[in-house]
Amino acid sequence: MSTTWDKILLFGDSITQDSFNQQRGFAFSAGLQHEYIRRLDVINRGFSGYTSRQALKILPHVIPSPSTANIRLLVVFLGANDSSLPGAENKQHVPLPEYVSNLEQILKHPSVTAHNPKIVLIAPAPIDEHLVWDDDKTKGRHAVSRKNAVLKQYSEAAVELGDKLGVPVVNLWKAFMAKTGWKAEEWKESEPIVGSLEMPQNEELVRLLSDGLHFNPAGYQLMLGEFLKVVREKIPDLAPENVPLLLPLWNDAAAWEVWDAKHK
C-alpha cells in the first residue's frame, strides 16, 4: 500500500502560476514546498490572465475528487486582474460586487467542500502604476490599465469576505504597503496613494514588484512569510512543524522498527 501524500492546492492567476519559476530567484510555491517537504505536496493551479469569473468556471475541472487526492489546505489568490479598470484595454475588469460573489462561490463550491479543507484567502497586493504604465505602453495600450487605489478596494473586499466567512486572510496589501512607509491612518481618499502615477515612484514597490504587478523574489519572500504567519496563528495544526513527516528519517531506529513491523 503506497503512502498517501495530502495536498496544499494553490488556486489563482499568473502571480500563482509564476510562483514556481526560479529564473529570477526565490518564488513562493517553491519556498512553500520546501517548508512542507515530506509532509504535504504543493500543487500549483495558477492560470495566467484569469479573473475570478473564469476561475469559478473552471474550478470543478481543477479540484480533484477526494477519491484521488486529499486537499488539506486550499489557498485562493485572485483579484489582480479583476481590479483592472472598467474599459481598460486588457478587458479583464470584473466589478467589485461580482468579484466578492465569485470568491464566495469558490470558497463554498461543492468541489471544495467535498474535501473539507482548511482554506486561506490571499488578498491582492498593491501595484506600482509607474511600472504598470511602462508595461501597458509596451503592449500598445493608450492608458494605464490599473490604479493602486482600486487595488486597495478589492483587497479590502477580500479581507472583509474572509472575516464574514471565518476564513483566514493573508493581507498582502497591508504587508507590502507597510514596507513603503505609507500610513493608512494619515491618508485621505482625496489624496494620491503611494504607487500611483501622481506620486514619485516608491523604491520598495520597485523592489517587491517586477513589472508593477507581478512579484520579484522579494515580493514572494514577503508573501511566504505573511502566509506562514497566518497559518501558524489561525491554523496551527497545519504549520509545517506540526505536520508529521511521512516515512521515517534515515537514522530514526525506532521509527524504522514501527515501519518494518507494519510492512512485513
Side-chain angles (χ1 to χ4, degrees), residues 9 13 20 45 53 70 78 85 103 113-114 120 212 246 248-249:
L9 194 144
D13 52 35
F20 257 130
R45 293 294 180 263
R53 184 184 295 161
N70 182 42
L78 294 160
L85 298 176
L103 279 186
T113 58
V120 171
L246 290 171
L249 293 172

Side-chain angles (χ1 to χ4, degrees), residues 136-174:
D136 283 332
K137 285 185 286 189
T138 66
K139 294 173 180 173
R141 295 169 184 162
H142 299 89
V144 68
S145 57
R146 294 170 170 87
K147 289 284 188 180
N148 209 23
V150 176
L151 259 297
K152 180 176 182 291
Q153 296 172 5
Y154 280 69
S155 181
E156 289 172 345
V159 172
E160 289 173 7
L161 178 65
D163 290 343
K164 169 188 165 185
L165 300 180
V167 173
V169 180
V170 179
N171 192 338
L172 284 189
W173 170 272
K174 183 177 179 182

Side-chain angles (χ1 to χ4, degrees), residues 235-250:
I235 321 172
D237 58 310
L238 282 183
E241 60 273 14
N242 295 331
V243 179
L245 281 169
L246 290 171
L247 306 180
L249 293 172
W250 73 272

Side-chain angles (χ1 to χ4, degrees), residues 5-11 28 32 36 40-45 63-64 69-76 107 112 115-122 167-170 224 227-228 230-232 234-240 243:
W5 300 81
D6 291 346
K7 316 297 182 189
I8 299 174
L9 194 144
L10 311 178
F11 186 48
F28 173 76
L32 188 65
Y36 284 94
L40 298 170
D41 280 346
V42 175
I43 307 300
N44 187 322
R45 293 294 180 263
I63 304 292
N70 182 42
I71 299 172
R72 292 273 296 280
L73 177 60
L74 174 68
V75 182
V76 178
L107 301 182
V112 170
H115 290 264
N116 193 29
K118 302 294 185 182
I119 301 175
V120 171
L121 181 61
I122 300 182
V167 173
V169 180
V170 179
L224 179 62
F227 177 84
L228 292 174
V230 167
V231 170
R232 288 185 171 116
K234 303 295 186 181
I235 321 172
D237 58 310
L238 282 183
V243 179

Side-chain angles (χ1 to χ4, degrees), residues 12-114:
D13 52 35
S14 57
I15 300 174
T16 297
Q17 178 176 312
D18 204 40
S19 67
F20 257 130
N21 187 343
Q22 301 293 285
Q23 289 181 333
R24 291 195 304 270
F26 182 90
F28 173 76
S29 291
L32 188 65
Q33 183 64 85
H34 174 72
E35 294 287 337
Y36 284 94
I37 201 72
R38 293 182 58 179
R39 290 177 167 89
L40 298 170
D41 280 346
V42 175
I43 307 300
N44 187 322
R45 293 294 180 263
F47 299 89
S48 179
Y50 274 38
T51 65
S52 65
R53 184 184 295 161
Q54 295 165 318
L56 180 57
K57 288 180 181 180
I58 68 160
L59 183 64
H61 304 281
V62 170
I63 304 292
S65 163
S67 64
T68 60
N70 182 42
I71 299 172
R72 292 273 296 280
L73 177 60
L74 174 68
V75 182
V76 178
F77 184 15
L78 294 160
N81 296 319
D82 298 66
S83 56
S84 297
L85 298 176
E89 292 167 271
N90 62 14
K91 302 187 184 304
Q92 291 174 301
H93 173 73
V94 173
L96 185 58
E98 183 188 346
Y99 166 67
V100 174
S101 174
N102 290 340
L103 279 186
E104 184 165 0
Q105 290 180 72
I106 287 169
L107 301 182
K108 294 180 175 180
H109 197 281
S111 297
V112 170
T113 58

